[in-house]
Amino acid sequence: MRQQRIAASMLVLGLLASACGARLTDEQRAAAVSGGGGVTVDAAGPTTPGVTTPAGPTTSVDSPGTTGAPTSPTGPTVTDTSADAGTDTTTGPGADSGADAGTDTDTGADAGTDADTDNGAGTPEIPADTRSMPPGGNGGATDVGVTETEIFLGNVSDVSGAVPGLFEAAQLAGKAYVAFHNASQGTIFGRALRYLPYDAGLDTGRNRSASIEACENAFTDIGSISPMDQGAAPVIDECNIPDIRVGSTTPQMKAVDNAYAMSPTLDRVEALGQHKYFADNYPDAITRSAYLFIAGEVTEKSTQQTRDAQATLGYEYVYLQPIDLTETNYAPFVLELIDRDVRYVAFQGAYQQGVRLAEAMQQQGYVPDVYRLQSNAYVADYIELGGAAVENTFFTLNTVLFEEADQYPELQTYLQWLEQVAPGKDPSPQGVLAWSAGMLFHQIATAIGPNLTREAVLEQVAQVEGWDGNGLHPPFDIGSRQPSDCYIAVQVSGGAFSRTYPDQGFACGDGVADLR
């Protein structure tokens, strides 16, 4: 059973291009936390038609705790569900230029402290200032996990268990976002955010019990992630909690209507861009391909889906090899690679096992054209442990690189606040997506208004398309659950991770293979 759980964890790390990430060096951490020299990029999110999106004062990424609104995109594609249905447009703090504003005109000089009322329809509209209690109150306890002064956000991720700390970074990112939001934004219509982390323990039963607690106490879940999420699926489905998670890893969770993944995936649907990169650059190598993976029923299905998608691009496999979790001698596998003249080697497993295979290849003097690992090996320990043996290893990612933190103000903010709440803990791509989930909740909650309900959140998140987390990742169509074909190709070069394609940003546009 323990081996099955670890094998499952290796699968999810492969399935989610965002599953684990690089540990920053001391120099990179210092540069990111200091704001990276103040480099600014235009990373605004998609426009938000029909939404009153407050534009409060901005937060400096150079100073955790500075008062102001979070640095965030202009908003996802969501709909204003207030009584005036979005006819009021806020152009700045306290500035109301809507046709429904009646005789009230606010020039913004009071920095959004003037709450507007709709004296045309006679129904209060969403106040321009979302950071304070509206006149007459906010409705108090409008739903589970909501009081007059607090909104409780849950997170169910694997912290302990057979692989300790597996998804701790996702949980810490949620904690960091809540701390940042309360320090910078203050409240959402008078309600501060409160965080309820639960440890799923890499166990189906613990995932279920933790999700029961989250359903009973939290208004919404943000940033949850576990390869054992089938235990949580029926619970989340029954209680109808909005679950804005990092990723859904099992078919059971993918089928839950109220669970939305920040990085959507579908069974038998595979993004082609990451595979097309190698087909374009190593056309001869892909016709002599091998796939080695940690043995297990689920991993076999995962690798089959990948191979079926790659076949549409001309990949031909001459060697497929499941490897027992406890195997330590990788030399026989390398000898098979040599005998079969394999030139493209893909491996799915823990980064330590990826190092073991790389060292065995080095010992045999075997150098394939491509040695490709899953994104879970995008960690500093992979290079530190493997040294020269792991030079030239390839990866594909769908979040921005930590090595390029100076280019992304939102990434700098995440790194600052992670250091604030968990000093010395390293970031990861799933942490990036959990932070993005917190940002998305903020956008949705402010668009809904004071009458915050689970039903309203679910109505909004179902419409979210093109959410990029203020440049942290490519635009994801979260509401429609469509996988993104965007990626960055990364290679170990000179003992460090370096992007190889594209020159900047993400490569997108190659589509997906629908194998259903």
Side-chain angles (χ1 to χ4, degrees), residues 150-430:
E150 297 175 312
I151 303 170
F152 291 88
L153 303 179
N155 177 285
V156 180
S157 298
D158 299 309
V159 177
S160 65
V163 184
L166 180 62
F167 289 122
E168 182 183 27
Q171 199 159 92
L172 290 176
K175 180 180 181 181
Y177 182 79
V178 167
F180 163 66
H181 184 280
N182 289 342
S184 60
Q185 183 76 0
T187 69
I188 300 176
F189 302 112
R191 300 182 178 109
L193 300 185
R194 296 291 180 258
Y195 194 53
L196 299 174
Y198 300 96
D199 182 9
L202 199 56
D203 179 84
T204 302
R206 288 188 62 179
N207 212 310
R208 174 181 172 81
S209 60
S211 297
I212 290 173
E213 289 192 54
C215 280
E216 293 175 347
N217 298 299
F219 173 66
T220 299
D221 282 339
I222 60 166
S224 299
I225 175 70
S226 171
M228 313 299 288
D229 61 14
Q230 69 268 41
V235 175
I236 292 172
D237 184 37
E238 183 177 355
C239 80
N240 208 39
I241 186 174
D243 189 350
I244 309 173
R245 58 197 303 110
V246 168
S248 298
T249 62
T250 64
Q252 293 93 327
M253 185 60 76
K254 292 176 184 178
V256 175
D257 288 340
N258 50 300
Y260 290 89
M262 295 301 298
S263 179
T265 56
L266 292 173
D267 284 334
R268 302 299 294 165
V269 177
E270 183 96 359
L272 288 175
Q274 56 179 325
H275 305 307
K276 190 173 184 297
Y277 170 80
F278 297 102
D280 289 344
N281 291 279
Y282 301 92
D284 296 329
I286 66 167
T287 63
R288 307 293 302 176
S289 295
Y291 211 131
L292 292 81
F293 55 95
I294 299 303
E297 180 182 355
V298 182
T299 52
E300 289 178 2
K301 290 182 179 179
S302 168
T303 57
Q304 184 64 58
Q305 174 173 309
T306 295
R307 297 197 308 271
D308 290 347
Q310 290 177 331
T312 67
L313 299 173
Y315 285 71
E316 297 178 21
Y317 278 86
V318 298
Y319 185 43
L320 301 172
Q321 182 61 56
I323 300 175
D324 190 80
L325 179 66
T326 59
E327 181 62 66
T328 59
N329 182 14
Y330 280 45
F333 307 129
V334 174
L335 292 176
E336 284 290 339
L337 294 172
I338 295 172
D339 289 345
R340 297 169 187 252
D341 189 29
V342 172
R343 300 177 60 183
Y344 171 98
V345 180
F347 178 75
Q348 182 171 321
Y351 77 86
Q352 297 93 332
Q353 295 160 326
V355 168
R356 191 173 296 149
L357 179 57
E359 289 176 337
M361 291 192 293
Q362 183 186 54
Q363 291 166 2
Q364 298 292 335
Y366 168 65
V367 182
D369 294 346
V370 175
Y371 179 45
R372 181 184 177 188
L373 269 62
Q374 304 295 320
S375 61
N376 58 298
Y378 175 54
V379 290
D381 282 345
Y382 177 71
I383 296 176
E384 293 176 7
L385 184 62
V390 302
E391 189 75 4
N392 299 320
T393 305
F394 279 100
F395 317 86
T396 54
L397 309 173
N398 70 350
T399 56
V400 295
L401 304 183
F402 297 116
E403 290 79 11
E404 299 176 355
D406 62 334
Q407 302 176 36
Y408 299 98
E410 195 66 52
L411 182 58
Q412 294 168 24
T413 306
Y414 160 55
L415 295 175
Q416 285 181 342
W417 284 87
L418 177 62
E419 183 69 16
Q420 188 93 337
V421 302
K425 291 290 186 177
D426 292 307
S428 74
Q430 85 266 12

Side-chain angles (χ1 to χ4, degrees), residues 103-122:
T103 58
D104 174 47
T105 302
D106 187 344
T107 61
D110 59 356
T113 58
D114 178 18
D116 178 33
T117 58
D118 185 344
N119 40 6

Side-chain angles (χ1 to χ4, degrees), residues 419-484:
E419 183 69 16
Q420 188 93 337
V421 302
K425 291 290 186 177
D426 292 307
S428 74
Q430 85 266 12
V432 169
L433 292 181
W435 177 276
S436 184
M439 295 170 60
L440 179 57
F441 173 78
H442 166 82
Q443 293 287 326
I444 289 174
T446 55
I448 291 171
N451 187 29
L452 200 58
T453 66
R454 286 177 169 179
E455 182 179 357
V457 172
L458 289 172
E459 180 181 338
Q460 297 283 6
V461 74
Q463 301 175 57
V464 174
E465 306 294 325
W467 175 259
D468 72 352
N470 202 18
L472 292 177
H473 48 74
F476 291 145
D477 293 337
I478 295 171
S480 60
R481 298 182 170 90
Q482 294 303 305
S484 169

